[in-house]
Amino acid sequence: LLRETKTEIAAVSRQRQVPLREGLRIALRSGPFVRLLVAAGLTVIGLNMINALGTYVNVYHVFGGDAKPASVVGGWAGTLYGVTVLAVTPGLVWLARRIGKRDALIACFGCVLVGTISKWWLYTPDAPWLQLIVTVLLAPGMTGLWMLSESMVADVSEFEQLNSGVRTEGIYGAVYGWFLKSGLALGVFVSGLILVWTGFDVGNGALQSPETIWWMRFLFAFVPTVAVVVAMILLSRFPLTPAKMLAVRAELDRRAAHSLSKA
């Protein structure tokens, strides 16, 4: 079901093999790719390094140390997240086609930004169910990250093919995937250190100090805020607009046809 034409396939079949080291150099010299890589990586690390705090904020701040109702709300949040992802995916596809992938991803990150800032007010013991609003805001943002950024990696590989003359999308995909998975792992590792840094002591049960609760709430809300703001700035300078990619695609098709005719 791939959309590549017979002309493209024939041209690539004659391409020399690109060694791993050369492919890495090509990928990491790409300005658009590095911007996208850092933007996505910052968002993944920023969100995952404080995800563990969400459970503790919910249990010890919102529900005063009672894990049972906190787990009920958390369960509904997880279900709502999955439903929201399925509901918004067709809309994100439409939005990306309407305004371009870059601007659609910036809009998604805007949802994440609003959602993560609002944690400070919506994770409250006065109205515990308000935190579900955060879930609804984060779901489209993270869906856009995983869906649109992968497609933008494909755009980068075509753009760089125009410059280098070789197709190295495998390298771009591998570096991008490795970087984001490493970011996930790093975020999970750091989250435990952050929890210890706040002064949390499981032996104190519900009697955590006000300072510990405040720091958990503050970091939970505002660490990802900083990461997402930097990511949005980087994405705003991503140069591969829809018009640019149409021109790139047309030139690549012309080169492939010319190469095939010479053969």
Side-chain angles (χ1 to χ4, degrees), residues 121-155:
W121 296 278
L122 297 182
Y123 275 71
T124 170
D126 297 328
W129 291 92
L130 281 181
Q131 63 185 270
L132 296 183
I133 297 175
V134 175
T135 299
V136 173
L137 289 169
L138 292 181
M142 297 310 296
T143 303
L145 169 64
W146 294 111
M147 182 175 70
L148 296 176
S149 64
E150 296 278 0
S151 182
M152 292 164 72
V153 171
D155 288 344

PDB file of all heavy atoms in Angstrom, residues 121-155:
ATOM      1  N   TRP A 121      -4.391  24.416  39.012  1.00  0.00           N
ATOM      2  CA  TRP A 121      -5.714  24.764  39.537  1.00  0.00           C
ATOM      3  C   TRP A 121      -6.704  23.597  39.472  1.00  0.00           C
ATOM      4  O   TRP A 121      -7.607  23.527  40.307  1.00  0.00           O
ATOM      5  CB  TRP A 121      -6.292  25.935  38.732  1.00  0.00           C
ATOM      6  CG  TRP A 121      -5.485  27.180  38.893  1.00  0.00           C
ATOM      7  CD1 TRP A 121      -5.555  28.083  39.935  1.00  0.00           C
ATOM      8  CD2 TRP A 121      -4.458  27.655  38.020  1.00  0.00           C
ATOM      9  NE1 TRP A 121      -4.624  29.086  39.738  1.00  0.00           N
ATOM     10  CE2 TRP A 121      -3.947  28.858  38.584  1.00  0.00           C
ATOM     11  CE3 TRP A 121      -3.924  27.201  36.823  1.00  0.00           C
ATOM     12  CZ2 TRP A 121      -2.929  29.590  37.965  1.00  0.00           C
ATOM     13  CZ3 TRP A 121      -2.915  27.919  36.213  1.00  0.00           C
ATOM     14  CH2 TRP A 121      -2.424  29.100  36.786  1.00  0.00           C
ATOM     15  N   LEU A 122      -6.548  22.699  38.492  1.00  0.00           N
ATOM     16  CA  LEU A 122      -7.553  21.656  38.295  1.00  0.00           C
ATOM     17  C   LEU A 122      -7.318  20.406  39.125  1.00  0.00           C
ATOM     18  O   LEU A 122      -8.234  19.592  39.276  1.00  0.00           O
ATOM     19  CB  LEU A 122      -7.630  21.285  36.807  1.00  0.00           C
ATOM     20  CG  LEU A 122      -8.079  22.422  35.883  1.00  0.00           C
ATOM     21  CD1 LEU A 122      -8.160  21.943  34.442  1.00  0.00           C
ATOM     22  CD2 LEU A 122      -9.429  22.993  36.320  1.00  0.00           C
ATOM     23  N   TYR A 123      -6.110  20.224  39.639  1.00  0.00           N
ATOM     24  CA  TYR A 123      -5.879  19.157  40.625  1.00  0.00           C
ATOM     25  C   TYR A 123      -6.130  19.759  42.002  1.00  0.00           C
ATOM     26  O   TYR A 123      -5.234  20.261  42.666  1.00  0.00           O
ATOM     27  CB  TYR A 123      -4.452  18.630  40.523  1.00  0.00           C
ATOM     28  CG  TYR A 123      -4.266  17.566  39.471  1.00  0.00           C
ATOM     29  CD1 TYR A 123      -4.320  17.883  38.117  1.00  0.00           C
ATOM     30  CD2 TYR A 123      -4.053  16.235  39.825  1.00  0.00           C
ATOM     31  CE1 TYR A 123      -4.156  16.911  37.143  1.00  0.00           C
ATOM     32  CE2 TYR A 123      -3.874  15.252  38.852  1.00  0.00           C
ATOM     33  CZ  TYR A 123      -3.941  15.598  37.518  1.00  0.00           C
ATOM     34  OH  TYR A 123      -3.777  14.627  36.557  1.00  0.00           O
ATOM     35  N   THR A 124      -7.389  19.738  42.415  1.00  0.00           N
ATOM     36  CA  THR A 124      -7.787  20.415  43.639  1.00  0.00           C
ATOM     37  C   THR A 124      -8.685  19.530  44.493  1.00  0.00           C
ATOM     38  O   THR A 124      -9.559  18.832  43.948  1.00  0.00           O
ATOM     39  CB  THR A 124      -8.513  21.736  43.319  1.00  0.00           C
ATOM     40  OG1 THR A 124      -9.098  22.286  44.509  1.00  0.00           O
ATOM     41  CG2 THR A 124      -9.620  21.533  42.300  1.00  0.00           C
ATOM     42  N   PRO A 125      -8.516  19.542  45.803  1.00  0.00           N
ATOM     43  CA  PRO A 125      -9.399  18.743  46.671  1.00  0.00           C
ATOM     44  C   PRO A 125     -10.834  19.257  46.678  1.00  0.00           C
ATOM     45  O   PRO A 125     -11.756  18.533  47.056  1.00  0.00           O
ATOM     46  CB  PRO A 125      -8.754  18.881  48.054  1.00  0.00           C
ATOM     47  CG  PRO A 125      -7.881  20.082  47.969  1.00  0.00           C
ATOM     48  CD  PRO A 125      -7.428  20.189  46.557  1.00  0.00           C
ATOM     49  N   ASP A 126     -11.043  20.510  46.259  1.00  0.00           N
ATOM     50  CA  ASP A 126     -12.401  21.069  46.246  1.00  0.00           C
ATOM     51  C   ASP A 126     -13.258  20.458  45.137  1.00  0.00           C
ATOM     52  O   ASP A 126     -14.490  20.408  45.271  1.00  0.00           O
ATOM     53  CB  ASP A 126     -12.341  22.595  46.053  1.00  0.00           C
ATOM     54  CG  ASP A 126     -11.622  23.283  47.204  1.00  0.00           C
ATOM     55  OD1 ASP A 126     -11.713  22.778  48.346  1.00  0.00           O
ATOM     56  OD2 ASP A 126     -10.949  24.301  46.963  1.00  0.00           O
ATOM     57  N   ALA A 127     -12.638  20.018  44.037  1.00  0.00           N
ATOM     58  CA  ALA A 127     -13.379  19.431  42.919  1.00  0.00           C
ATOM     59  C   ALA A 127     -12.468  18.426  42.212  1.00  0.00           C
ATOM     60  O   ALA A 127     -11.895  18.730  41.155  1.00  0.00           O
ATOM     61  CB  ALA A 127     -13.855  20.521  41.957  1.00  0.00           C
ATOM     62  N   PRO A 128     -12.321  17.229  42.776  1.00  0.00           N
ATOM     63  CA  PRO A 128     -11.342  16.265  42.249  1.00  0.00           C
ATOM     64  C   PRO A 128     -11.536  15.894  40.784  1.00  0.00           C
ATOM     65  O   PRO A 128     -10.560  15.605  40.088  1.00  0.00           O
ATOM     66  CB  PRO A 128     -11.536  15.041  43.159  1.00  0.00           C
ATOM     67  CG  PRO A 128     -12.131  15.587  44.416  1.00  0.00           C
ATOM     68  CD  PRO A 128     -12.987  16.729  43.989  1.00  0.00           C
ATOM     69  N   TRP A 129     -12.789  15.901  40.317  1.00  0.00           N
ATOM     70  CA  TRP A 129     -13.041  15.452  38.948  1.00  0.00           C
ATOM     71  C   TRP A 129     -12.649  16.486  37.905  1.00  0.00           C
ATOM     72  O   TRP A 129     -12.604  16.172  36.709  1.00  0.00           O
ATOM     73  CB  TRP A 129     -14.512  15.065  38.787  1.00  0.00           C
ATOM     74  CG  TRP A 129     -14.857  13.824  39.556  1.00  0.00           C
ATOM     75  CD1 TRP A 129     -15.341  13.763  40.837  1.00  0.00           C
ATOM     76  CD2 TRP A 129     -14.696  12.475  39.130  1.00  0.00           C
ATOM     77  NE1 TRP A 129     -15.496  12.460  41.235  1.00  0.00           N
ATOM     78  CE2 TRP A 129     -15.119  11.639  40.195  1.00  0.00           C
ATOM     79  CE3 TRP A 129     -14.250  11.887  37.953  1.00  0.00           C
ATOM     80  CZ2 TRP A 129     -15.096  10.249  40.102  1.00  0.00           C
ATOM     81  CZ3 TRP A 129     -14.238  10.504  37.865  1.00  0.00           C
ATOM     82  CH2 TRP A 129     -14.649   9.697  38.928  1.00  0.00           C
ATOM     83  N   LEU A 130     -12.318  17.685  38.332  1.00  0.00           N
ATOM     84  CA  LEU A 130     -11.876  18.698  37.375  1.00  0.00           C
ATOM     85  C   LEU A 130     -10.589  18.292  36.662  1.00  0.00           C
ATOM     86  O   LEU A 130     -10.304  18.756  35.560  1.00  0.00           O
ATOM     87  CB  LEU A 130     -11.661  20.043  38.081  1.00  0.00           C
ATOM     88  CG  LEU A 130     -12.891  20.879  38.398  1.00  0.00           C
ATOM     89  CD1 LEU A 130     -12.471  22.179  39.085  1.00  0.00           C
ATOM     90  CD2 LEU A 130     -13.700  21.181  37.139  1.00  0.00           C
ATOM     91  N   GLN A 131      -9.814  17.418  37.272  1.00  0.00           N
ATOM     92  CA  GLN A 131      -8.546  17.006  36.654  1.00  0.00           C
ATOM     93  C   GLN A 131      -8.766  16.286  35.336  1.00  0.00           C
ATOM     94  O   GLN A 131      -7.836  16.174  34.526  1.00  0.00           O
ATOM     95  CB  GLN A 131      -7.743  16.126  37.601  1.00  0.00           C
ATOM     96  CG  GLN A 131      -8.395  14.816  37.956  1.00  0.00           C
ATOM     97  CD  GLN A 131      -7.598  14.036  38.987  1.00  0.00           C
ATOM     98  OE1 GLN A 131      -6.738  13.238  38.646  1.00  0.00           O
ATOM     99  NE2 GLN A 131      -7.879  14.277  40.263  1.00  0.00           N
ATOM    100  N   LEU A 132      -9.979  15.795  35.075  1.00  0.00           N
ATOM    101  CA  LEU A 132     -10.249  15.138  33.799  1.00  0.00           C
ATOM    102  C   LEU A 132     -10.146  16.120  32.632  1.00  0.00           C
ATOM    103  O   LEU A 132      -9.911  15.710  31.490  1.00  0.00           O
ATOM    104  CB  LEU A 132     -11.633  14.489  33.822  1.00  0.00           C
ATOM    105  CG  LEU A 132     -11.823  13.343  34.827  1.00  0.00           C
ATOM    106  CD1 LEU A 132     -13.206  12.739  34.693  1.00  0.00           C
ATOM    107  CD2 LEU A 132     -10.744  12.273  34.654  1.00  0.00           C
ATOM    108  N   ILE A 133     -10.322  17.413  32.908  1.00  0.00           N
ATOM    109  CA  ILE A 133     -10.153  18.423  31.860  1.00  0.00           C
ATOM    110  C   ILE A 133      -8.715  18.405  31.355  1.00  0.00           C
ATOM    111  O   ILE A 133      -8.459  18.573  30.160  1.00  0.00           O
ATOM    112  CB  ILE A 133     -10.528  19.823  32.393  1.00  0.00           C
ATOM    113  CG1 ILE A 133     -12.010  19.850  32.786  1.00  0.00           C
ATOM    114  CG2 ILE A 133     -10.221  20.900  31.361  1.00  0.00           C
ATOM    115  CD1 ILE A 133     -12.442  21.151  33.447  1.00  0.00           C
ATOM    116  N   VAL A 134      -7.774  18.189  32.277  1.00  0.00           N
ATOM    117  CA  VAL A 134      -6.365  18.109  31.886  1.00  0.00           C
ATOM    118  C   VAL A 134      -6.165  16.954  30.910  1.00  0.00           C
ATOM    119  O   VAL A 134      -5.465  17.069  29.900  1.00  0.00           O
ATOM    120  CB  VAL A 134      -5.467  17.932  33.126  1.00  0.00           C
ATOM    121  CG1 VAL A 134      -4.013  17.731  32.713  1.00  0.00           C
ATOM    122  CG2 VAL A 134      -5.599  19.134  34.052  1.00  0.00           C
ATOM    123  N   THR A 135      -6.795  15.834  31.181  1.00  0.00           N
ATOM    124  CA  THR A 135      -6.680  14.660  30.312  1.00  0.00           C
ATOM    125  C   THR A 135      -7.165  14.979  28.903  1.00  0.00           C
ATOM    126  O   THR A 135      -6.525  14.620  27.909  1.00  0.00           O
ATOM    127  CB  THR A 135      -7.504  13.494  30.885  1.00  0.00           C
ATOM    128  OG1 THR A 135      -6.993  13.151  32.176  1.00  0.00           O
ATOM    129  CG2 THR A 135      -7.449  12.281  29.975  1.00  0.00           C
ATOM    130  N   VAL A 136      -8.307  15.668  28.820  1.00  0.00           N
ATOM    131  CA  VAL A 136      -8.876  16.011  27.511  1.00  0.00           C
ATOM    132  C   VAL A 136      -7.957  16.954  26.737  1.00  0.00           C
ATOM    133  O   VAL A 136      -7.886  16.901  25.507  1.00  0.00           O
ATOM    134  CB  VAL A 136     -10.277  16.630  27.694  1.00  0.00           C
ATOM    135  CG1 VAL A 136     -10.832  17.153  26.376  1.00  0.00           C
ATOM    136  CG2 VAL A 136     -11.234  15.609  28.293  1.00  0.00           C
ATOM    137  N   LEU A 137      -7.229  17.805  27.447  1.00  0.00           N
ATOM    138  CA  LEU A 137      -6.312  18.735  26.787  1.00  0.00           C
ATOM    139  C   LEU A 137      -5.011  18.060  26.364  1.00  0.00           C
ATOM    140  O   LEU A 137      -4.452  18.369  25.310  1.00  0.00           O
ATOM    141  CB  LEU A 137      -6.006  19.908  27.722  1.00  0.00           C
ATOM    142  CG  LEU A 137      -7.152  20.890  27.963  1.00  0.00           C
ATOM    143  CD1 LEU A 137      -6.814  21.839  29.113  1.00  0.00           C
ATOM    144  CD2 LEU A 137      -7.442  21.700  26.697  1.00  0.00           C
ATOM    145  N   LEU A 138      -4.532  17.136  27.181  1.00  0.00           N
ATOM    146  CA  LEU A 138      -3.257  16.484  26.863  1.00  0.00           C
ATOM    147  C   LEU A 138      -3.385  15.457  25.738  1.00  0.00           C
ATOM    148  O   LEU A 138      -2.450  15.265  24.959  1.00  0.00           O
ATOM    149  CB  LEU A 138      -2.692  15.797  28.104  1.00  0.00           C
ATOM    150  CG  LEU A 138      -2.207  16.686  29.245  1.00  0.00           C
ATOM    151  CD1 LEU A 138      -1.651  15.840  30.383  1.00  0.00           C
ATOM    152  CD2 LEU A 138      -1.150  17.668  28.766  1.00  0.00           C
ATOM    153  N   ALA A 139      -4.530  14.799  25.635  1.00  0.00           N
ATOM    154  CA  ALA A 139      -4.684  13.711  24.664  1.00  0.00           C
ATOM    155  C   ALA A 139      -4.439  14.149  23.220  1.00  0.00           C
ATOM    156  O   ALA A 139      -3.652  13.511  22.507  1.00  0.00           O
ATOM    157  CB  ALA A 139      -6.059  13.066  24.817  1.00  0.00           C
ATOM    158  N   PRO A 140      -5.096  15.226  22.732  1.00  0.00           N
ATOM    159  CA  PRO A 140      -4.818  15.611  21.340  1.00  0.00           C
ATOM    160  C   PRO A 140      -3.388  16.076  21.135  1.00  0.00           C
ATOM    161  O   PRO A 140      -2.799  15.867  20.066  1.00  0.00           O
ATOM    162  CB  PRO A 140      -5.819  16.748  21.070  1.00  0.00           C
ATOM    163  CG  PRO A 140      -6.226  17.241  22.410  1.00  0.00           C
ATOM    164  CD  PRO A 140      -6.150  16.052  23.322  1.00  0.00           C
ATOM    165  N   GLY A 141      -2.816  16.706  22.155  1.00  0.00           N
ATOM    166  CA  GLY A 141      -1.438  17.172  22.030  1.00  0.00           C
ATOM    167  C   GLY A 141      -0.458  16.036  21.853  1.00  0.00           C
ATOM    168  O   GLY A 141       0.407  16.058  20.972  1.00  0.00           O
ATOM    169  N   MET A 142      -0.581  15.010  22.685  1.00  0.00           N
ATOM    170  CA  MET A 142       0.349  13.882  22.602  1.00  0.00           C
ATOM    171  C   MET A 142       0.078  13.019  21.364  1.00  0.00           C
ATOM    172  O   MET A 142       0.994  12.456  20.772  1.00  0.00           O
ATOM    173  CB  MET A 142       0.271  13.042  23.869  1.00  0.00           C
ATOM    174  CG  MET A 142       0.678  13.797  25.125  1.00  0.00           C
ATOM    175  SD  MET A 142       2.270  14.655  24.942  1.00  0.00           S
ATOM    176  CE  MET A 142       3.393  13.267  24.718  1.00  0.00           C
ATOM    177  N   THR A 143      -1.191  12.942  20.954  1.00  0.00           N
ATOM    178  CA  THR A 143      -1.506  12.232  19.714  1.00  0.00           C
ATOM    179  C   THR A 143      -0.834  12.915  18.529  1.00  0.00           C
ATOM    180  O   THR A 143      -0.254  12.267  17.652  1.00  0.00           O
ATOM    181  CB  THR A 143      -3.029  12.185  19.494  1.00  0.00           C
ATOM    182  OG1 THR A 143      -3.651  11.578  20.630  1.00  0.00           O
ATOM    183  CG2 THR A 143      -3.379  11.390  18.241  1.00  0.00           C
ATOM    184  N   GLY A 144      -0.917  14.253  18.515  1.00  0.00           N
ATOM    185  CA  GLY A 144      -0.266  15.003  17.451  1.00  0.00           C
ATOM    186  C   GLY A 144       1.231  14.802  17.447  1.00  0.00           C
ATOM    187  O   GLY A 144       1.855  14.684  16.383  1.00  0.00           O
ATOM    188  N   LEU A 145       1.830  14.737  18.639  1.00  0.00           N
ATOM    189  CA  LEU A 145       3.273  14.527  18.722  1.00  0.00           C
ATOM    190  C   LEU A 145       3.667  13.221  18.049  1.00  0.00           C
ATOM    191  O   LEU A 145       4.560  13.190  17.190  1.00  0.00           O
ATOM    192  CB  LEU A 145       3.722  14.521  20.185  1.00  0.00           C
ATOM    193  CG  LEU A 145       5.161  14.060  20.436  1.00  0.00           C
ATOM    194  CD1 LEU A 145       6.151  15.024  19.790  1.00  0.00           C
ATOM    195  CD2 LEU A 145       5.443  13.924  21.922  1.00  0.00           C
ATOM    196  N   TRP A 146       3.021  12.124  18.417  1.00  0.00           N
ATOM    197  CA  TRP A 146       3.417  10.815  17.905  1.00  0.00           C
ATOM    198  C   TRP A 146       3.011  10.615  16.455  1.00  0.00           C
ATOM    199  O   TRP A 146       3.690   9.895  15.707  1.00  0.00           O
ATOM    200  CB  TRP A 146       2.819   9.712  18.775  1.00  0.00           C
ATOM    201  CG  TRP A 146       3.365   9.710  20.154  1.00  0.00           C
ATOM    202  CD1 TRP A 146       2.708  10.040  21.309  1.00  0.00           C
ATOM    203  CD2 TRP A 146       4.704   9.389  20.554  1.00  0.00           C
ATOM    204  NE1 TRP A 146       3.552   9.942  22.395  1.00  0.00           N
ATOM    205  CE2 TRP A 146       4.788   9.548  21.959  1.00  0.00           C
ATOM    206  CE3 TRP A 146       5.840   8.990  19.860  1.00  0.00           C
ATOM    207  CZ2 TRP A 146       5.956   9.313  22.674  1.00  0.00           C
ATOM    208  CZ3 TRP A 146       7.002   8.753  20.572  1.00  0.00           C
ATOM    209  CH2 TRP A 146       7.056   8.915  21.972  1.00  0.00           C
ATOM    210  N   MET A 147       1.939  11.263  16.024  1.00  0.00           N
ATOM    211  CA  MET A 147       1.459  11.048  14.656  1.00  0.00           C
ATOM    212  C   MET A 147       2.113  12.017  13.665  1.00  0.00           C
ATOM    213  O   MET A 147       2.680  11.602  12.646  1.00  0.00           O
ATOM    214  CB  MET A 147      -0.061  11.204  14.606  1.00  0.00           C
ATOM    215  CG  MET A 147      -0.666  10.949  13.237  1.00  0.00           C
ATOM    216  SD  MET A 147      -2.466  10.993  13.273  1.00  0.00           S
ATOM    217  CE  MET A 147      -2.752  12.744  13.551  1.00  0.00           C
ATOM    218  N   LEU A 148       2.068  13.306  13.959  1.00  0.00           N
ATOM    219  CA  LEU A 148       2.527  14.299  12.997  1.00  0.00           C
ATOM    220  C   LEU A 148       4.047  14.370  12.913  1.00  0.00           C
ATOM    221  O   LEU A 148       4.604  14.565  11.834  1.00  0.00           O
ATOM    222  CB  LEU A 148       1.952  15.674  13.367  1.00  0.00           C
ATOM    223  CG  LEU A 148       0.427  15.788  13.295  1.00  0.00           C
ATOM    224  CD1 LEU A 148      -0.028  17.163  13.787  1.00  0.00           C
ATOM    225  CD2 LEU A 148      -0.071  15.545  11.883  1.00  0.00           C
ATOM    226  N   SER A 149       4.713  14.229  14.052  1.00  0.00           N
ATOM    227  CA  SER A 149       6.171  14.351  14.015  1.00  0.00           C
ATOM    228  C   SER A 149       6.800  13.226  13.192  1.00  0.00           C
ATOM    229  O   SER A 149       7.795  13.435  12.497  1.00  0.00           O
ATOM    230  CB  SER A 149       6.746  14.363  15.437  1.00  0.00           C
ATOM    231  OG  SER A 149       6.510  13.139  16.099  1.00  0.00           O
ATOM    232  N   GLU A 150       6.224  12.035  13.257  1.00  0.00           N
ATOM    233  CA  GLU A 150       6.743  10.929  12.452  1.00  0.00           C
ATOM    234  C   GLU A 150       6.614  11.250  10.963  1.00  0.00           C
ATOM    235  O   GLU A 150       7.508  10.962  10.159  1.00  0.00           O
ATOM    236  CB  GLU A 150       5.975   9.641  12.774  1.00  0.00           C
ATOM    237  CG  GLU A 150       6.143   9.140  14.195  1.00  0.00           C
ATOM    238  CD  GLU A 150       7.435   8.351  14.377  1.00  0.00           C
ATOM    239  OE1 GLU A 150       8.181   8.203  13.392  1.00  0.00           O
ATOM    240  OE2 GLU A 150       7.681   7.888  15.500  1.00  0.00           O
ATOM    241  N   SER A 151       5.488  11.854  10.593  1.00  0.00           N
ATOM    242  CA  SER A 151       5.289  12.230   9.201  1.00  0.00           C
ATOM    243  C   SER A 151       6.254  13.344   8.791  1.00  0.00           C
ATOM    244  O   SER A 151       6.721  13.392   7.641  1.00  0.00           O
ATOM    245  CB  SER A 151       3.844  12.678   8.990  1.00  0.00           C
ATOM    246  OG  SER A 151       3.597  13.009   7.642  1.00  0.00           O
ATOM    247  N   MET A 152       6.568  14.231   9.730  1.00  0.00           N
ATOM    248  CA  MET A 152       7.523  15.308   9.445  1.00  0.00           C
ATOM    249  C   MET A 152       8.935  14.765   9.264  1.00  0.00           C
ATOM    250  O   MET A 152       9.741  15.340   8.527  1.00  0.00           O
ATOM    251  CB  MET A 152       7.462  16.352  10.561  1.00  0.00           C
ATOM    252  CG  MET A 152       6.147  17.124  10.573  1.00  0.00           C
ATOM    253  SD  MET A 152       5.846  18.031  12.105  1.00  0.00           S
ATOM    254  CE  MET A 152       7.037  19.360  11.956  1.00  0.00           C
ATOM    255  N   VAL A 153       9.258  13.663   9.915  1.00  0.00           N
ATOM    256  CA  VAL A 153      10.548  13.011   9.693  1.00  0.00           C
ATOM    257  C   VAL A 153      10.650  12.558   8.237  1.00  0.00           C
ATOM    258  O   VAL A 153      11.711  12.671   7.596  1.00  0.00           O
ATOM    259  CB  VAL A 153      10.738  11.818  10.644  1.00  0.00           C
ATOM    260  CG1 VAL A 153      11.972  11.005  10.256  1.00  0.00           C
ATOM    261  CG2 VAL A 153      10.861  12.297  12.079  1.00  0.00           C
ATOM    262  N   ALA A 154       9.551  12.058   7.692  1.00  0.00           N
ATOM    263  CA  ALA A 154       9.541  11.656   6.282  1.00  0.00           C
ATOM    264  C   ALA A 154       9.784  12.858   5.380  1.00  0.00           C
ATOM    265  O   ALA A 154      10.505  12.767   4.372  1.00  0.00           O
ATOM    266  CB  ALA A 154       8.211  10.987   5.940  1.00  0.00           C
ATOM    267  N   ASP A 155       9.197  14.001   5.719  1.00  0.00           N
ATOM    268  CA  ASP A 155       9.437  15.219   4.942  1.00  0.00           C
ATOM    269  C   ASP A 155      10.907  15.615   4.988  1.00  0.00           C
ATOM    270  O   ASP A 155      11.489  16.024   3.976  1.00  0.00           O
ATOM    271  CB  ASP A 155       8.575  16.362   5.478  1.00  0.00           C
ATOM    272  CG  ASP A 155       7.105  16.195   5.155  1.00  0.00           C
ATOM    273  OD1 ASP A 155       6.781  15.372   4.281  1.00  0.00           O
ATOM    274  OD2 ASP A 155       6.283  16.892   5.781  1.00  0.00           O
TER     275      ASP A 155
END
